[in-house]
Structure formats: C-alpha cells, structure tokens
Amino acid sequence: MDWYPLYNSLRIALISSVIVFFTGIFAAYYIARLNRVVKGILDVILTLPMVLPPTVVGYFLLLLLGAKRPVGMWFQEQFGIKLVMTWYSGIFAAAVVAFPLMYRTARGAFESFDETLAYSGQTLGLSNTYIFWRIRMPACRQGILAGAVLSFARALGEYGATSMLAGYTPGRTATISTTVYQLWRTDNEALAFQWVVVNVMISAVVLLTVNMLEEKNRKERR
C-alpha cells in the first residue's frame, strides 16, 4: 500500500492549519471590534467558502492562480513557480475552505471574553500585546483550540477545491480524498475502502479531541 496520499494529506493539512490559525485569529480579533455593518459585510465575505460548493471555491482559485491568470503568470515568470497542479496547490485550497471554521470559532471566543480583564490590565500599564497573548488568548484558548482542530480536520478531508487546483497524480499530488475517488472510479474498491477506514479513524480522533476540549471548557465555566 502506497502511503504517499496519507503523508501528502497530513502535510497539506498541517501547513494550511498553521496559516489558517494565525490569519483566522488576526481576522477574528480585529473584525470583532468593528461596527455591525462593516462586521456583517466582512463576515459574509470571509465565511462564504464554508457554504459554497468546494468545486466553486476551486474554480475561483483557478481564476486567480491558474497558469494563464495574472497571479499565476506572475509567479511563473518571476520565480518559475507553478501555483496549480503541484502538491502545494492543495495548501491554497485547504486553507481557503478551512479558514471560515477557524475565523468563526475564534471570533465567538473573543466576543465571549470578559473585556474587564483587558481594561484591568491596561490600568496596570500592560501593553496591548501582552494583554492579547497573556490574558486574552489563555482565556479563549479552548474555543481557539477547537477551531484549530476543526480546521485541521476540514483541511485533511478537502476534496473538491483540491481536485481542481492540484489534480490527481500518484506520488506527486494525490491526497486521501482524491485517491479514494480515483480508486473507486477504477473499480479498485478494496483499496478505496482501506483509505476510507484510514480517513474515518483520523476523523474520529479529531472529533474526540474537539469533544474533550468542549467538555473541559464547560467544566472551567462552572
């Protein structure tokens, strides 16, 4: 059994999760402080990938990063880097579809934060950076960690946008999801089922982790 799809899926999910973790927290923190109208508009834009079909997300990414599109052409000409049909193309797809989960979860955590703690820190002369990392983040850690785990799971199981942006090449761009589809399409159901089992096991671990974080969060609030 070729384990490349598992390795490739894990590295794509891990790298995209790191990107989504920081960008999601940054967006959630600053957007939560905006007025209702601006917040509503940005919410729609940033959450749209969560409700759009993944193939539509992949289509928009191809319009942006395709070899004959401005961004894709610029990277090809300047750095000799292809942004589509490579293993790292999956990072773009996974990050875009996983971002809304991290953003919404982190924003909910920040909005439930007791701002009097931050005000108390300011009266003691603490910097906003110190308050954010040493007071706000620890207080919101359960929600943020849950968002990070869910984002990882979403990135790991992404298929539609990844198949359009990275395609399927064994040993180069194959992921678990694209491998399952290709094996099923070629009537290799036994091997496809094995990959399904691997994916289900990983997803079960992720869900158990989220449930443990939520249970811990409930206990801390009591």
Side-chain angles (χ1 to χ4, degrees):
M1 186 172 179
D2 179 16
W3 290 101
Y4 179 83
L6 176 60
Y7 162 71
N8 196 36
S9 295
L10 288 174
R11 68 173 170 177
I12 288 173
L14 285 170
I15 295 171
S16 60
S17 294
V18 171
I19 295 170
V20 164
F21 180 81
F22 290 103
T23 56
I25 288 175
F26 176 83
Y29 175 70
Y30 285 101
I31 290 175
R33 305 160 74 89
L34 298 175
N35 64 67
R36 179 181 294 182
V37 175
V38 177
K39 184 193 298 185
I41 294 172
L42 291 175
D43 263 350
V44 171
I45 296 172
L46 296 178
T47 311
L48 203 57
M50 188 165 64
V51 296
L52 285 175
T55 49
V56 174
V57 175
Y59 174 76
F60 282 126
L61 288 173
L62 281 175
L63 290 181
L64 179 66
L65 306 176
K68 296 183 179 180
R69 302 297 175 177
V71 175
M73 288 178 62
W74 187 80
F75 270 89
Q76 182 73 37
E77 293 171 359
Q78 298 297 320
F79 307 106
I81 297 175
K82 289 177 59 180
L83 298 183
V84 297
M85 301 304 156
T86 62
W87 75 265
Y88 50 82
S89 302
I91 297 173
F92 307 134
V96 170
V97 298
F99 175 84
L101 286 171
M102 185 68 221
Y103 163 71
R104 297 290 296 193
T105 308
R107 210 196 80 185
F110 287 143
E111 288 179 342
S112 64
F113 175 73
D114 185 0
E115 290 294 336
T116 57
L117 296 175
Y119 299 147
S120 299
Q122 290 173 350
T123 60
L124 295 173
L126 301 178
S127 67
N128 289 333
T129 302
Y130 184 94
I131 291 171
F132 179 82
W133 289 109
R134 301 302 295 273
I135 298 176
R136 192 182 300 271
M137 285 291 285
C140 301
R141 68 183 182 279
Q142 300 301 334
I144 290 172
L145 286 174
V149 173
L150 286 172
S151 299
F152 173 80
R154 181 67 185 88
L156 186 67
E158 213 296 304
Y159 170 75
T162 300
S163 63
M164 294 189 69
L165 207 62
Y168 173 79
T169 304
R172 292 182 58 190
T173 67
T175 63
I176 294 176
S177 299
T178 56
T179 298
V180 169
Y181 174 74
Q182 291 297 327
L183 290 172
W184 170 82
R185 193 174 65 85
T186 55
D187 293 327
N188 193 346
E189 293 192 12
L191 191 54
F193 182 75
Q194 292 180 36
W195 280 115
V196 168
V197 171
V198 171
N199 209 350
V200 168
M201 291 174 63
I202 296 173
S203 299
V205 171
V206 169
L207 290 175
L208 285 172
T209 303
V210 172
N211 289 337
M212 290 171 62
L213 290 171
E214 290 179 346
E215 182 63 26
K216 185 177 180 180
N217 192 31
R218 282 195 293 269
K219 289 179 178 179
E220 289 180 353
R221 289 181 178 180
R222 291 174 184 173

